[in-house]
Amino acid sequence: MTKDSLASAQSPPAIADFLFARRESILNSWRTTCELDKTIQTVSNLSREEFNDMVPTILNILGQRLNNQKEESSAILVASEHGLQRWHKGYTLRELLKEIGHLFEEISNELKTYQELYPASDPKLFAEVYPKMLTLYEETVEGSAARYDELERTAAASRADTLQSALDQLNDLSRQRTDLLRTSRHE
């Protein structure tokens, strides 16, 4: 019996269990895809643990949603922490969003593999899975981008404060110079 015919003869595992069993493959394929993406420059500087960061928790949340279980954490908060970590690692917002897109593309590829391995699976199952995955994708983008935006605003405000301070110092020096010139002319 071939691998495909063996898989077809067995009853299909729950999709959440299948994705959990394929987690290492998802994470490895995701990293490889990100490394090959010329628009993401920062990946090679990260260790495996740094690269994976909060993604295993995001995958846990997906599994919990697929199993209709209570979620261990808010996807938006977890993604926010991921965005913070990527900010500290020097990612641009574009790199962050591309990376998230690649992650969910890899998850989608695994769902296609599931469909290929278990062609007799109920199509209604996928009608339930894809909206849950899409919602998680949206929450991941929202959380990561919102945190990144917040950090950008904070950094911009800090730069503006620094510039204002420098301008105030220049204005003060200019006043002192004007006063000095006025005093020297008067004498």
Side-chain angles (χ1 to χ4, degrees):
M1 238 185 206
T2 67
K3 180 181 169 185
D4 289 344
S5 61
L6 180 63
S8 297
Q10 298 172 349
S11 64
I15 291 181
D17 294 341
F18 177 81
L19 291 175
F20 184 79
R22 300 283 303 151
R23 179 173 290 205
E24 284 304 309
S25 176
I26 292 169
L27 293 172
N28 290 335
S29 295
W30 172 51
R31 180 168 185 135
T32 300
T33 301
C34 289
E35 287 175 337
L36 294 173
D37 186 331
K38 302 279 189 237
T39 64
I40 304 175
Q41 301 295 315
T42 316
V43 176
S44 59
N45 299 333
L46 302 178
S47 70
R48 176 181 163 83
E49 290 166 1
E50 289 173 323
F51 180 75
N52 289 348
D53 187 43
M54 302 302 292
V55 171
T57 305
I58 291 170
L59 294 174
N60 287 347
I61 292 169
L62 177 59
Q64 291 157 356
R65 287 184 182 181
L66 295 177
N67 286 329
N68 297 313
Q69 296 172 334
K70 184 179 185 306
E71 295 174 24
E72 67 184 78
S73 187
S74 160
I76 292 175
L77 291 177
V78 171
S80 174
E81 291 303 312
H82 183 73
L84 174 64
Q85 188 257 13
R86 290 310 200 240
W87 167 270
H88 287 299
K89 295 298 179 183
Y91 266 59
T92 64
L93 181 57
R94 180 178 183 194
E95 288 176 311
L96 175 66
L97 296 177
K98 291 281 285 185
E99 178 193 87
I100 292 169
H102 289 316
L103 171 64
F104 281 87
E105 183 179 345
E106 291 303 325
I107 296 169
S108 181
N109 289 341
E110 288 298 329
L111 292 174
K112 289 175 190 169
T113 299
Y114 182 94
Q115 286 179 301
E116 291 168 4
L117 289 173
Y118 306 102
S121 298
D122 185 0
K124 292 178 187 174
L125 181 64
F126 294 99
E128 294 172 11
V129 169
Y130 280 103
K132 289 178 181 182
M133 187 180 77
L134 180 59
T135 299
L136 183 60
Y137 169 75
E138 290 169 348
E139 290 172 2
T140 303
V141 168
E142 177 184 346
S144 293
R147 186 59 170 275
Y148 201 94
D149 184 54
E150 173 187 324
L151 293 165
E152 280 280 325
R153 289 174 192 258
T154 301
S158 176
R159 287 190 299 270
D161 288 346
T162 301
L163 288 172
Q164 186 61 50
S165 177
L167 183 59
D168 292 345
Q169 289 175 352
L170 282 172
N171 287 336
D172 189 43
L173 285 173
S174 179
R175 272 191 237 84
Q176 290 175 7
R177 181 176 169 254
T178 302
D179 290 345
L180 183 63
L181 286 173
R182 192 176 304 136
T183 302
S184 65
R185 270 194 220 147
H186 183 54
E187 293 177 2

